[in-house]
Structure formats: C-alpha cells, structure tokens
Amino acid sequence: MKKILFSIVALALLSSGLTSCSDDRLDATLEGARDIEAKPIETVTDLRATVSGAYYRMVEAAYYGRDIIIYSEVRGDNAYAAAGFSNRFQNVSSYNLTPTHAYPSDTWKKIYEVISSANLAIGATIKTGSEKDINQGKAEALAIRALAHFDLLRLYGQQYVGDSGLDGLGIPYIKQFGELDAKNYKRLSVREVRDNIYKDLDDALALVDKNATNKKRFTQQAIYGVKSRVALFFGAFQESDYAIALTSAQKAMELGGGIIQQSAYVASFSAEEPQSNSVFELAQDNVNNLGNNSLYNIYAYRGYGDVVGLEENLQDLFEDQTDIRSSVEMQGYNNLTQNDKGNYKKVGPNKFVKLTEKELDGTVVVDPAIRYSFEYYRNFGKYTKISSNIKVMRYEELAFNFIEAAVRSKTEEGAALNLLNKIAAERYDDKPVAKYDKLTLATVLTERRKELIFEGFRFEDQMRNKENLASTPQSKEGMLYGSPKLAFPIPRNEINASKIDQNESY
C-alpha cells in the first residue's frame, strides 16, 4: 500500500509528541518521545491527554488562535488587512493566494494535525478507566473531528464556486490515524463531507457525558451548538437543513446559559474565565498564549494592527449609539483628535466623512469644532489581551442560529421574535421590551452581524446569502459570488504528496 502523508508532519508530530494534561493548560506532549505502535493509547489518562493535544493544536495561530477567524473578517465587508503595518494577511484580503503561499498551507496542515490527534483518540482501545470517562473522551474527539473538517470545507471546498453547493468538490474526510491508502484519501463531494460531519456529531452526542460542564472542552451543549452552526451553513444549499439548525440550537439553549446582560457585555470579552454566555472556549493564560501571533496583536493599534474595519460600512452599521455594541469600548477610531488640519468631519455620533476639496482648501468653511484627523476604524472590545481564551461559541450565536433558521423555515417564528427582542433588550440603552414587532430576514442578519462582528463569521454569512463582496483597499473591484477565488487553493506540497485534485483556477 502506498502511504500518503496528509499534512506533511502531522503523523510525525503525533507519534513523537502528545503530552499529559492534568488540567486545562493543554500541554502538547504525552511523553518526550512515544512510539504509538509499541506503546499505544490504552488508559483513560492517555486518552484525555491525546484529546488535550487536539485542543492545544486548535488554539495555535494557523487555526483558531488567529488565522481562521481573521480569514473570515478580511474577506468579508467588515474589515481588510491594511498595508503599512506587518503586512500580514495582505494576500488573503486581496484574494491573491497561490498554492505555495503560507496561509493555505499552514492552516491545511494544522487542521489535519488536529484531525490526527482526534483520530488517534477515536481509534484507541482503552483498557483502564471508567466507561463514562472513556465515552466522554471519545465524544470530544468526534466533535473535534467534525468541527475541523467543517472548517476545512468552508475554506477549501468549492461549494461557493459557480454556486456548486452540495455537488461541489469538498475535502478529504480522514477517519483513521496512521497509514493511509490512496483510495481512501480523496476529495469527497460537499454533500458527502456534510453527511460525515453530521454522523460524527450524532455519534458524539450519543457518547457525551450529559453532566460535563467544562466549557474549555466539548460538552453536550457545545456539540449541539456546532451542529446548529453546521446545519445553518448547509441550509443555504439544502433548505431542509434549516430544521436541523433550529432544533439543534434549541436543544443547546435549553442546556443552560443565556444572553449576557448589557451591563456585563463589554467586560465579558476581557474576562479570563468563561462567562454565563460562554458555550465553548479554547484555553489560553498568561503563560500559554500566542504572544505576538495572537488575535489581540493583529487587531490592536499597539500590536501589529493589520486588520482594520471598513469604516464606511461600519459607521452605517453602528450609527445607533444607544447600542452597547456601538460604544467606544467596543469599536471605533483610534487616535481620534480634534485638529484644524484634519481630513474628516463629524456628521453624527459615530459617523465621519471625508472633507471635500472645497472644504480642504477653505473655499467652504468648516467649523473647527467638527474637524478631525484619525487613523483607522478598529475592534477595541474583542480579544483584548494576548492571554484571552478564544471564544469559539457564545450563547448569542445559538440564539441567532435559532432565529435565522426559524425565519428561513417559517417555523417557531413567534419564539424567534421573542428571542430577538430579548437580545435587543440587552443591547440597547432604552432596554425596549419589544424593539421589533415583526421578524424579517434583513433585521435578523443585521443584528447577527452586529453581535458577531470581528469573531470570524462574516465571510461565511455573506456566502450563505450568496452576496457579492465589497470593494476594499485590498480588493478594489470586490469579488463576485461564484468566483473560483472564493475557495482557498489546496497547498502545493499536499498536491505533490497525495495527488488529490486542485481547486479551479489554481
């Protein structure tokens, strides 16, 4: 049999490097060097450590630690990668990736390393430990494998290309650790990938400990939450999946948590430990974090500061200053100073426009009190420290998954409207009992965008709605829905090793 090295170093890393984890710091190695064949994973302690290795890899920069979140923001209409800083994500933001670029290569490799960790845990025969703990470890690994394949699909799958949907070319779905046969390592259709994801999630739900509450590992609620996320995504291509999204989100919400109160909203993003609205987080702390490669550093002016908001879009989106999400603690312009020689004027509470040529040359007098100079529109409130946990899922996402699925399927619309108004009551200063008297898709999508901005949802949300992408300083003409550039290229080293099919146009 021909061996296929899927992710280049994943097997080598896993064979010589998973480590034990007595807490949630998620150390990366099981022993200094471990021969999995000579000393297989057989105890529940080893099983937990193996799954911890998968979580550890998930929080690295090429995956949830930074890149996959940034990919979604700089390819949508929330933000772009500005030139003149560290020049990170320039080719992502401009849709100019090639099969040899680092971003598609590093993320592909890292996610398949996560899948390798999960597969090692799923395939292990555990001989010591309680059945409950063994099942919980297997459930977590199955959920990780499902989410990882979903994330690969939304980056590298061709579901958007030519609006191929479920018939488009997907990604390999890897279910075993170790030696692979070429006939098992091929790109499945998007439909086949979807069905494998659902099966892994359902298998995880059958095994998971219903009493597990650690939000830094997969719980029953988090698994239902991922199922609702996945189903909402696939509903764009098969409407019957909206029913799965609705019921999964509903079951997840019934398991606890709630919408964070307005008074706690800003602080909830800087808290070191999971808050009442947390569903699933990836652990970081003052010792174990990504430092210069963190999400904080890529957003913050005092860091690298590459990722900035598309000011015209976000000014309009957040014009209502009674919304806590519009507050200066959450977003706005950095270094905003009154300046007679400024290039902008203030025309609303959070709205600025560029001065005209006549205003600049003095032909038309502008009151100095409303003349400003400033730098870029930025995210201030999310990922405020390099040590912050990565919030993979919040209760508010579950709520919006339910609401949107209800609107699209015309089911549970009364409950969805009530839920939308509960969210509005905790976001707007006047705490309206019923801000919205009817449920419309446009309202739901706007509120969802405001709630989840800068958290890595925007590109996929636009793709689900089959929208053309906005013009930005990096993509002057924007990007049409259906373009081959909407799918990342399969890395060249992967093509060379496995001979799988490349995406269109690469």
Side-chain angles (χ1 to χ4, degrees), residues 246-247 250 402-403 405-407 409-418 439:
L246 187 144
T247 57
Q250 187 173 46
F402 176 87
I403 295 166
V407 173
S409 64
K410 302 188 185 307
T411 308
E412 298 277 6
E413 292 181 279
L417 179 59
N418 289 337
L439 202 61

Side-chain angles (χ1 to χ4, degrees), residues 136 208 212-215 217-224 279:
Q136 175 63 22
V208 71
T213 59
N214 187 343
K215 294 179 179 181
R217 304 180 80 92
F218 266 109
T219 62
Q220 183 185 25
Q221 182 181 44
I223 298 168
Y224 272 124
V279 176

Side-chain angles (χ1 to χ4, degrees), residues 221-456:
Q221 182 181 44
I223 298 168
Y224 272 124
V226 168
K227 191 172 181 181
S228 75
R229 178 186 291 183
V230 167
L232 191 70
F233 177 88
F234 287 118
F237 310 114
Q238 184 165 308
E239 289 188 1
S240 59
D241 284 38
Y242 287 129
I244 300 173
L246 187 144
T247 57
S248 299
Q250 187 173 46
K251 288 177 179 178
M253 289 188 291
E254 289 171 352
L255 290 170
I259 298 156
I260 200 79
Q261 294 181 335
Q262 185 192 65
S263 60
Y265 181 78
V266 173
S268 70
F269 289 101
S270 59
E272 289 295 330
E273 288 300 314
Q275 301 297 287
S276 62
N277 67 333
S278 176
V279 176
F280 176 47
E281 301 186 2
L282 290 168
Q284 295 190 111
D285 58 29
N286 289 329
V287 176
N288 299 294
N289 61 68
L290 296 175
N292 288 341
N293 290 323
S294 65
L295 277 165
Y296 163 79
N297 224 32
I298 208 68
Y299 276 121
Y301 176 73
R302 290 180 175 82
Y304 290 126
D306 295 80
V307 178
V308 300
L310 278 165
E311 58 187 46
E312 294 87 353
N313 292 353
L314 301 190
Q315 285 172 0
D316 290 339
L317 184 66
F318 291 105
E319 190 167 12
D320 186 347
Q321 290 297 286
T322 68
D323 186 346
I324 186 65
R325 297 167 300 192
S326 303
S327 65
V328 294
E329 291 87 359
M330 293 306 299
Q331 61 191 288
Y333 296 93
N334 63 284
N335 291 353
L336 183 63
T337 56
Q338 201 166 335
N339 185 332
D340 287 348
K341 296 181 180 180
N343 294 324
Y344 294 78
K345 61 181 178 180
K346 188 175 184 179
V347 296
N350 193 38
K351 195 173 181 69
F352 301 81
V353 297
K354 290 183 179 180
L355 297 176
T356 66
E357 289 185 10
K358 289 184 177 181
E359 289 170 331
L360 283 170
D361 67 19
T363 304
V364 176
V365 177
V366 181
D367 183 348
I370 61 169
R371 179 177 280 188
Y372 292 80
S373 66
F374 55 87
E375 210 206 48
Y376 291 103
Y377 194 107
R378 291 190 179 276
N379 160 41
F380 294 145
K382 298 179 180 180
Y383 318 108
T384 59
K385 294 177 283 190
I386 62 174
S387 59
S388 297
N389 288 347
I390 305 300
K391 297 180 184 297
V392 179
M393 181 169 288
R394 298 191 286 125
Y395 187 94
E396 287 81 359
E397 184 200 342
L398 303 178
F400 276 109
N401 290 351
F402 176 87
I403 295 166
E404 185 180 338
V407 173
R408 292 186 184 276
S409 64
K410 302 188 185 307
T411 308
E412 298 277 6
E413 292 181 279
L417 179 59
N418 289 337
L419 186 54
L420 182 63
N421 279 319
K422 284 182 180 180
I423 295 171
E426 296 299 343
R427 297 296 178 263
Y428 295 91
D429 286 345
D430 52 359
K431 288 190 173 290
V433 175
K435 181 176 177 63
Y436 298 108
D437 58 6
K438 64 179 180 179
L439 202 61
T440 68
L441 182 60
T443 296
V444 170
L445 294 178
T446 297
E447 287 290 342
R448 176 184 171 92
R449 182 182 178 191
K450 293 171 77 172
E451 183 67 31
L452 300 178
I453 190 169
F454 298 128
E455 295 181 52

